[in-house]
Amino acid sequence: MIHGQQTAEDGAPPRSRLTEPLRHPEQSPEGLRTRRAIALLALTLVLPGAAQLVAGRRGLGRRAVAVTCSVWGALLVALVVGLINRGLLLTLVTDPFSSAVLIGVLLALAAGWAFLWVDTLRLLRVPLLARRVRPLIVVALVACLAATSGTLAYAAHLANVARGAVGSIFSGGPAIAAVDGRYNFLVMGGDAGADRTGRRPDSLSVLSVDASTGRTALISVPRNLQNAQFAEGSPMRSVYPEGYNCGNDCLINAINTEVTEKYANLYPGVRDPGAQATMEAVSGTLGIEVQAYVLVDMDGFAQLVDALGGIRVDAGGWVPMSGAALDDNGDHAQPVGWIAPGPQTLDGFHALWYGRSREFASDYDRIARQQCIQQAMIKQLNPATVLSKFESIANAGTKVVESNVSASQLGSFVDLAMKGKGQPVSRLVIGPPDFDASFPTYPNFDQIHQRVQSVLAANSSPSPKAAAGASGGTASAPPVAIPAALVADRPANQYNTVGPDGVPVNAARLDDLFKTGQNQTLDAIMAGNGQCTPL
């Protein structure tokens, strides 16, 4: 054998001729060099490190291919775990430590893949390619780099955004256990301005979720409920052993402020004594254990709706957006705008008004609209919406003032929410239409406990029909027709520009409608104000 030359046996071509086109393309035909470049691009795209293994540094290639196979193996394991125990996988993703590890791994993979693309560019030997092919190959490589390393880097960014949001919103406290097979969450909505001491929640709702099926019951407590009962073990029972019973000043939504200002010392080490005491009052009032709370700032709510791209509802009646306050009795100037009946896509500003407006309507109309908005938001929180608008949703979510839900359980609760999507939601209001209008002033707590247990028992039933039948009587009735003369010129489904008489709200005012607030025309316009269906 001559030095530097390999011999072939049985007529097989020399080994150098097999490898030369990939490692030494200088003498190859133009078409072969082009095919070689395309092949190296495809190898780096499909199996990072393979291009180096066949045409570059084999040591680098072997290590890169080993990492690639490990990543595919890890993804396969994650897929199996997700199919067997989706909650566990979600918990790993949302856990602060494991999410930090995930971010680091994603960034390392993005950097490593980018390095392999740069090395592949060297291996392509671009000057050897035909002039017309060179720019196409380079553009293809840059596009592949952006699609691979860029995607991994962006995924790391989103994971970091999610980690920050979880850390800002949720606590690091102990996990909570289901009680009687259910998780009960108190959702409070109120203003959280810097000039406020404590918060008077505008809305109080309990989301009771079946721990197995994810079926949800929505129980609304009127903000004006009196004589609220504090749960056993509540420190506030030493102050109000017979209930929060000092008359009209002791509405349930005043507990937050009073405890914050006067009785915070009863809750040493508690992050928000007012919210904790309100949760205990709702627990005692409903006769169930509410394990956690979420307090939502109304401004944050509007931003969250905007992040979702708006919410879709079918409004049953006209809803006014009040003018400036005239006095301390709740009186306002004439409306500055209206939300019309019919199918609507409400942005954050108008969704906030739709949920909070009580001008010429009762608190119970407002509660019905709030329940409708909550259901619409849950319905629209689908994977496609979350993925496409993840960053804006996460950033808006940090406007949730606080929650004592443990971050360690977030994954399992997300899994429950996914199970519950599409299932009937049972609804109950501790006031009209499920109780008479005087009931919140003179509540019968035995009746409340009995009704709550009935709704929860039906909601826990495996039969969807049983769950649907536990709606608590709040199903929307057909809206009352407004006199034809008032709607003849009204544009369909338009808000904030035209009033119920078809006149622009910034032009002629409807003085005759608002002098007494009781005439038949106004009653007809406001009919259906509390009727709403999530779309």
Side-chain angles (χ1 to χ4, degrees), residues 245-500:
N245 59 352
C246 62
N248 291 336
D249 291 333
C250 279
L251 308 181
I252 193 169
N253 75 327
I255 292 174
N256 198 319
T257 300
E258 180 170 345
V259 170
T260 300
E261 293 179 343
K262 297 180 180 180
Y263 303 111
N265 61 301
L266 296 178
Y267 294 87
V270 174
R271 179 181 178 185
D272 189 331
Q276 178 69 26
T278 302
M279 185 177 74
E280 293 165 356
V282 172
S283 295
T285 296
L286 299 182
I288 59 177
E289 181 178 340
V290 181
Q291 300 110 310
Y293 67 84
V294 177
L295 180 56
V296 183
D297 174 39
M298 288 305 183
D299 181 60
F301 165 81
Q303 291 187 33
L304 182 58
V305 171
D306 285 334
L308 286 169
I311 57 171
R312 297 180 296 277
V313 299
D314 187 354
W318 289 92
V319 175
M321 298 187 295
S322 302
L326 298 177
D327 51 43
D328 294 333
N329 298 320
D331 296 325
H332 290 78
Q334 294 170 7
V336 297
W338 292 82
I339 298 172
Q344 299 276 8
T345 298
L346 303 174
D347 60 18
F349 174 80
H350 293 92
L352 184 56
W353 264 115
Y354 190 73
R356 299 188 75 183
S357 173
R358 58 177 179 265
E359 198 83 357
F360 314 113
S362 70
D363 272 346
Y364 309 109
D365 291 327
R366 184 172 66 156
I367 287 173
R369 285 184 260 116
Q370 289 170 352
Q371 288 187 337
C372 181
I373 287 175
Q374 289 169 339
Q375 291 183 70
M377 293 182 71
I378 293 172
K379 189 174 182 180
Q380 289 175 222
L381 276 173
N382 55 63
T385 300
V386 172
L387 289 175
S388 62
K389 301 175 180 178
F390 180 82
E391 188 168 0
S392 56
I393 291 173
N395 289 333
T398 60
K399 289 293 185 179
V400 175
V401 177
E402 64 190 51
S403 172
N404 66 345
V405 174
S406 172
S408 65
Q409 282 188 290
L410 184 58
S412 60
F413 291 150
V414 171
D415 182 46
L416 266 184
M418 294 172 68
K419 287 181 180 179
K421 283 188 67 67
Q423 298 196 55
V425 176
S426 303
R427 292 187 290 169
L428 178 68
V429 178
I430 311 303
D434 300 311
F435 298 89
D436 63 55
S438 64
F439 191 84
T441 305
Y442 307 100
N444 183 314
F445 294 101
D446 289 336
Q447 289 185 24
I448 293 175
H449 297 174
Q450 182 180 8
R451 194 68 166 273
V452 168
Q453 290 303 320
S454 176
V455 168
L456 296 186
N459 184 261
S460 300
S461 167
S463 168
K465 291 183 179 180
S471 63
T474 60
S476 297
V480 179
I482 297 174
L486 293 177
V487 299
D489 300 321
R490 174 177 63 84
N493 307 325
Q494 185 175 355
Y495 54 72
N496 203 34
T497 57
V498 176

Side-chain angles (χ1 to χ4, degrees), residues 36-54:
R36 171 185 178 274
I38 295 173
L40 293 178
L41 288 177
L43 286 172
T44 305
L45 179 64
V46 176
L47 187 62
Q52 285 70 26
L53 198 60
V54 301

Side-chain angles (χ1 to χ4, degrees), residues 113-125:
W113 211 341
F115 175 79
L116 291 176
W117 281 116
V118 173
D119 191 61
T120 300
L121 178 63
R122 178 184 65 83
L123 297 177
L124 292 178
R125 309 286 288 275

